[in-house]
Amino acid sequence: RGWVGERYASAAARLLPTMLPRLLQPSLLLFLVARSSSSASDVSAPTDEPRSPPVPPIASTAGPFAKCVGPHFHVAWDPAEFHLVVTPCSSGSGGGRRIWSSTKGKPFVAAGFGEFEMQEVGLGSFRPAKDDPGPRTDFQSVDMISADAISVTLGGALQFRASPGSAPANYTLKLSWDESLEHHLTFDIEIRERSEFAGGGHRASHAYLRYETEASEAFFGFGEQYSVWNVKGKRLPILTQEQGIGRGLQPLSFLADFVEKASAGEWHTSYSSIPHYVTSKNRSLYLRNYLYSIFDLTDDDAVEVAVIRNPQSIKPRTHPFLTISWGVVLGDSPKELVSRYTKYAGRMPALPSWAICGGAVLGLEGGTDEVLSVYRQMRDVGTPMAALWIQDWSGYVKDDFGTRVLWNWELNTDHYPGWDAMLDEIQQTATRVMTYVNPYLTDRVNDSSPMRNLFKEAAERGFLVRNSSGQPYVQRCGSRTFTFGTIDLANPEAAEWYATEVLGKNMLQNSNASGWMADFGEYLPFDSVIGGRDHESQVDPQYFHNRFPEEWTKLNSLALARQNRQDDVVFFSRAISTRSPKYGSLFWAGDQLVTWDRYDGLHSALLATLSGGISGIALTHSDIGGYTMIERCILFGYVCMFITRKCELLMRWAEMSAFTDAMFRTHLGSGPGPFEAQIYSSAASKTHFANFAQVHKALCEYRTELVREAADSGLPIARHPMLEFPDDQQLQTSDAQVMLGSEIMMAPVLSPGTSRIRVYLPALGDNETWVRWPGLDEYQPGGSEVDAPIGEPAVFFRSGFKERYPNAYAELREQASLVRETSRNGGFVCPKEVDYRMGVVELVKVLFGTVLVALLPYAYYAKVRSPH
């Protein structure tokens, strides 16, 4: 987990191929324009020879059709305009707005017969090694329509207009309604290659779906999207993978990719890509496929969805045809659409009271003495603590990345002597313990170690993901020396063993944990062998990769059920698939940088909360202060970058989390050291954190009701204001405000050195106004700038909150007095930051290295141009 520097000797050589194309790009463009102009001038004049009329892209021998499918969906086919439209049923006929419609006069289904191969390019990041759609059909016919009370089926051929007599494939499209999903209409397209075409080795690799949109229609959701709120105008891949380090933040992203290919990520890379959205026109669609897919939202008037597979690796027995399966949801508002969508995705169960009302969850590590030392410090300043989250409970190893958790999930009593006595002490303040686990097992446990070698046990039983030679598929994380194998979740016996032996026995029973971080889930290779030992029972990994997070969440839920602890234990997951909410107890936003930006910092955590809530991630939180810290040098130490956590960022993050997060949890970070701000680093940070832990606890009454609402309706507890004020156009496009339920509005401070912030408050009905916390002054609707010094974030609640939640209001009012008094007395003033001081030699090296990197591309370019 994190940014890695290695193989420094070849670094300069790797830089040049990256920079050279960018330097040559202007010249290349001018050259192409000149060639294009020259070619245009050579085009011969048109002749008078007769030409065949162009073949239209569509044809229909089926007549017009209109029928209500189930009680809510009216399906109509117009052969004259080649238009398939779904509208709400109204007195037996279609009317009103369109829920879904194809593009008029154009094919809405197409197939490509090419090549595709996905590969891991480094540290859990995946990119297509081949993505050639090959010849794509550009002609579609509708030759048959049949229907019954709950379904309509259309069928026809997919052809190339250049060869109208040859159809490579037939297709069927079935629209069906199921009473268990009353407000959903399901679409299933099946593309069948004709035998004479498939016999020549031609299999469909790409399936395309195209349908109408509007230029002004905004698209929200798609799981956790960290950098954008409205995805309109983007081309968004749906692929579970590492988020990346920087994700476009420069120069960090350039340096990260320079050292480890694809490690920086891009704007769209996400642990939790979910093929689901809600639009500003009250439309909602979700894919039911787990294959790699792409949503192309770059056209003003059409959306194109591509579902892609490697036709050379498919198993004809289990996946004989390429399919696209999706559903549309009927609803009159974004809030109603989100709630009805979660009937399919699943709704998260209510969290136990200790997790949402007990106070902070402190992320600690370093052994028994270090954990107890920090615990006592925070206890003595009045911090309410629900739990201590101890990540390194299983021990640690050291490599060139740093100190790493030992991925061998068993209590390490050498690192934590007196574990039971430590638990006895913290339980005096009703504080529990949480630990850490992931679906991977390290192969670095020595045979001479007294600990169980879980990797060896799993390998001998055939429970690990395998490579093509049948051996455990060994991957790496963070460095070349930190290697691991993955538990095979496509094998039911392996999943049962992990749930019982590792999670049930080692974590719940032997360590007495009340929960854990269920990390990772993104690394399943596309060329792995999973499932049973025999070929017939194996599972195609390209159909399982995006599903793996769901199965990992399901496995954790199974472990709790086996121990009858599902109502008391909390696990929080990073990677999320479409139906993970059905099994998850809590999620978190992953590994943000310790920065402020929307690329990978504080703002990106807020965006993940807003977009994830649209796609069923109802209960979530983030690492307070961020996780990823950068203290790395490359090019033999000549170029260094330091991104360290600052006190101000830590405080602002805590303020946001107090009002938005289901759990109020800290993390020491990826490289905790003397220059990183921690909640216990100074008197000011201790006081500030203790105060906002009390604020989080004060909202117990209100947050408890929101958690129950999430379980009943699927609505997120922290949500975009659009869900509560769907007709307010100014709020719809905002990505810097968030609501806790329907009562509290927050505009978190998202930039350093800011003490005033602009807030927009929508109009309220029933003679209500907005009340500012902590000052308790009334504010009228509209936009204004407000003071927001550290300790006094821009938080507003409805004036009726006092009557609806009297206990929460009373406790918030009490905390408001304490927070404001401390703020006005200078209690939240961060100490002067400790500089990362270098000696003269190191400073000269860094300056020289900077000049060197700047000159290398130009030196290479000059060499290329030289005749010598």
Side-chain angles (χ1 to χ4, degrees), residues 468-519:
S468 57
S469 62
Q471 298 302 309
Y473 200 126
V474 176
Q475 295 172 270
R476 63 188 180 94
C477 178
S479 74
R480 295 194 180 278
T481 59
F482 193 88
T483 49
F484 64 92
T486 302
I487 199 71
D488 185 358
L489 299 188
N491 181 343
E493 293 182 8
E496 182 66 34
W497 176 79
Y498 211 70
T500 303
E501 287 294 313
V502 176
L503 303 184
K505 183 181 293 185
N506 288 359
M507 302 190 70
L508 285 172
Q509 295 179 13
N510 296 345
S511 73
N512 291 313
S514 292
W516 51 78
M517 173 185 280
D519 203 359

Side-chain angles (χ1 to χ4, degrees), residues 61-75:
T61 59
F65 174 87
K67 177 182 174 59
C68 272
V69 177
H72 301 298
F73 298 95
H74 184 267
V75 179

Side-chain angles (χ1 to χ4, degrees), residues 98-119:
R98 292 174 180 172
I99 302 169
W100 183 92
S101 60
S102 66
T103 51
K104 286 184 180 181
K106 296 180 181 179
F108 53 86
V109 182
F113 299 85
E115 295 181 296
F116 180 79
E117 181 182 342
M118 185 72 74
Q119 69 175 9

Side-chain angles (χ1 to χ4, degrees), residues 614-636:
I614 299 294
S615 294
I617 306 172
L619 305 175
T620 189
H621 69 300
S622 62
D623 296 336
I624 295 174
Y627 167 78
T628 305
M629 302 161 175
I630 308 297
E631 296 183 18
R632 294 285 170 179
C633 295
I634 62 174
L635 292 182
F636 312 103

Side-chain angles (χ1 to χ4, degrees), residues 614-826:
I614 299 294
S615 294
I617 306 172
L619 305 175
T620 189
H621 69 300
S622 62
D623 296 336
I624 295 174
Y627 167 78
T628 305
M629 302 161 175
I630 308 297
E631 296 183 18
R632 294 285 170 179
C633 295
I634 62 174
L635 292 182
F636 312 103
Y638 283 101
V639 178
C640 299
M641 174 169 283
F642 307 103
I643 299 179
T644 56
R645 182 194 281 161
K646 305 300 182 183
C647 169
E648 182 188 4
L649 174 72
L650 184 62
M651 289 184 176
R652 290 302 196 185
W653 209 309
E655 290 170 6
M656 184 179 80
S657 295
F659 286 96
T660 62
D661 287 359
M663 177 183 282
F664 192 67
R665 181 183 59 82
T666 68
H667 199 310
L668 293 175
S670 64
F675 306 104
E676 310 290 351
Q678 303 290 354
I679 59 171
Y680 50 84
S681 296
S682 66
S685 60
K686 289 179 189 176
T687 303
H688 183 274
F689 185 81
N691 273 271
F692 280 89
Q694 291 285 5
V695 170
H696 189 275
K697 184 177 180 179
L699 287 163
C700 171
E701 177 191 25
Y702 181 48
R703 193 174 272 110
T704 298
E705 179 166 312
L706 293 179
V707 166
R708 291 197 193 104
E709 179 187 51
D712 293 339
S713 69
L715 293 175
I717 66 168
R719 59 192 65 163
H720 193 279
M722 174 188 73
L723 296 185
E724 296 300 327
F725 302 95
D727 299 324
D728 194 313
Q729 297 300 311
Q730 189 162 337
L731 274 179
Q732 191 176 89
T733 57
S734 170
D735 63 5
Q737 292 186 200
V738 59
M739 294 191 72
L740 182 64
S742 60
E743 299 279 348
I744 297 177
M745 177 81 75
M746 184 183 197
V749 174
L750 301 172
S751 57
T754 301
S755 59
R756 286 182 64 80
I757 189 169
R758 185 160 187 82
V759 178
Y760 174 78
L761 299 174
L764 299 173
D766 301 324
N767 298 318
E768 279 196 300
T769 58
W770 292 99
V771 178
R772 170 75 190 273
W773 187 93
L776 305 182
D777 305 314
E778 288 195 357
Y779 278 71
Q780 296 302 316
S784 62
E785 278 199 0
V786 299
D787 290 329
I790 292 178
E792 301 183 42
V795 175
F796 302 81
F797 53 85
R798 295 176 186 251
S799 55
F801 183 83
K802 177 180 179 180
E803 287 73 33
R804 290 186 286 270
Y805 303 96
N807 294 333
Y809 176 82
E811 294 192 39
L812 274 179
R813 183 165 186 161
E814 180 181 349
Q815 291 305 314
S817 300
L818 296 174
V819 166
R820 209 168 194 205
E821 180 181 358
T822 307
S823 175
R824 299 298 163 90
N825 293 333

Side-chain angles (χ1 to χ4, degrees), residues 403-446:
T403 302
R404 313 287 300 277
V405 174
L406 181 66
W407 293 0
N408 191 67
W409 313 118
E410 184 177 62
L411 177 62
N412 191 312
T413 53
D414 291 336
H415 193 39
Y416 281 95
W419 177 267
D420 291 338
M422 179 181 72
L423 265 59
D424 288 341
E425 177 175 343
I426 67 174
Q427 284 169 0
Q428 293 176 13
T429 54
T431 304
R432 299 173 179 237
V433 69
M434 303 180 79
T435 55
Y436 174 93
V437 72
N438 61 46
Y440 312 133
L441 297 170
T442 182
D443 59 352
R444 294 190 57 183
V445 177
N446 296 324

